[in-house]
Amino acid sequence: MNEIIYYIGVVGSFAFAISGALVAMNKKLDPFGILIVAFVTAVGGGTLRDVLIEGRNIFWMEDPSYIYFILAGAVCAMIFQDKLDRFRTSLLLFDTIGLALFSVAGVQIGLTFDFPYIICIILGVITGAFGGVSRDILVNEIPIIFQKEIYATISSVGASIYIVLYHFGFSRLLTEIIPILTIILLRIFVVYKEIMLPSIYKNDETVDEEEW
């Protein structure tokens, strides 16, 4: 399973790095700033997960090859920025791929440590969603996980599906592919249909900065 986790992790790192770089370029950051945001986006969730798991080394410090994939993703985003003309679509695609792959990787790592299923699901959500949280904080935006868009919920659905398939002994291929495709298709669907969690506030107007 460790080999599978590695391949999922490096592809997810590449996708999240592109996602972070696209956000950074949209904010007109310089190349160094783009690399930093890309790196934090790719490693944020996995680093938090590894810190929470006693006895586990931080993945990108133990295996620096992740760093090369992250740099490659950021550089590709900068080189091909003109071809990524539909910013919102490109960002959605790579962010969703990263979310799907890292959510599954987080669950797999939890299972290798024999954690209860509910803990594995939480680790999947942390791994998948908190890189985006770190990215949004760096670029001075409210993370989408804390707003109405269904993001962490989709991650938890995919993680739960993985657990169900794993528990009932489905093949490794199906156990990995079905949750990944579910997260990708569900995220794209809810974004384009503008499906959001219900608001608990009477007035949805954004609070002006002057009020803080």
Side-chain angles (χ1 to χ4, degrees):
M1 179 174 285
N2 288 334
E3 185 177 356
I4 298 298
I5 293 173
Y6 171 77
Y7 287 119
I8 290 176
V10 294
V11 176
S13 296
F14 183 82
F16 260 149
I18 293 177
S19 166
L22 289 173
V23 171
M25 287 188 289
N26 189 51
K27 293 290 185 176
K28 307 299 181 184
L29 300 188
D30 63 22
F32 182 75
I34 293 171
L35 291 175
I36 292 298
V37 174
F39 180 79
V40 170
T41 305
V43 306
T47 300
L48 178 57
R49 174 203 64 214
D50 293 344
V51 169
L52 292 173
I53 299 176
E54 183 178 359
R56 178 173 171 81
N57 296 324
I58 296 175
F59 73 102
W60 57 271
M61 299 181 73
E62 185 177 50
D63 185 355
S65 64
Y66 285 96
I67 298 176
Y68 302 131
F69 283 96
I70 293 168
L71 291 175
V75 171
C76 284
M78 286 187 279
I79 292 175
F80 297 108
Q81 58 180 304
D82 292 336
K83 296 185 181 298
L84 298 173
D85 52 352
R86 299 184 64 183
F87 172 79
R88 177 175 171 78
T89 301
S90 300
L91 175 59
L92 172 64
L93 175 62
F94 289 108
D95 190 60
T96 301
I97 292 173
L99 176 68
L101 294 173
F102 270 28
S103 296
V104 167
V107 175
Q108 290 176 324
I109 289 172
L111 291 172
T112 62
F113 281 84
D114 295 322
F115 288 133
Y117 286 162
I118 186 63
I119 301 300
C120 294
I121 293 172
I122 292 172
L123 289 175
V125 175
I126 288 174
T127 309
F130 275 79
V133 171
S134 304
R135 174 198 65 209
D136 293 342
I137 290 174
L138 278 179
V139 299
N140 197 31
E141 291 184 357
I142 299 176
I144 59 176
I145 190 177
F146 301 142
Q147 301 185 72
K148 292 186 294 183
E149 182 178 326
I150 302 174
Y151 191 80
T153 305
I154 293 174
S155 175
S156 64
V157 169
S160 300
I161 291 174
Y162 187 101
I163 290 295
V164 170
L165 297 174
Y166 173 85
H167 179 77
F168 286 102
F170 281 75
S171 69
R172 176 180 293 180
L173 180 62
L174 289 177
T175 302
E176 292 167 353
I177 292 298
I178 292 176
I180 289 172
L181 291 179
T182 299
I183 292 174
I184 292 174
L185 295 176
L186 191 57
R187 174 102 197 281
I188 293 174
F189 176 78
V190 299
V191 168
Y192 279 98
K193 292 295 184 180
E194 298 184 347
I195 299 173
M196 297 183 179
L197 295 175
S199 175
I200 65 172
Y201 303 103
K202 295 180 179 179
N203 190 339
D204 285 337
E205 292 182 1
T206 303
V207 179
D208 293 333
E209 292 182 1
E210 291 78 11
E211 297 180 13
W212 290 87

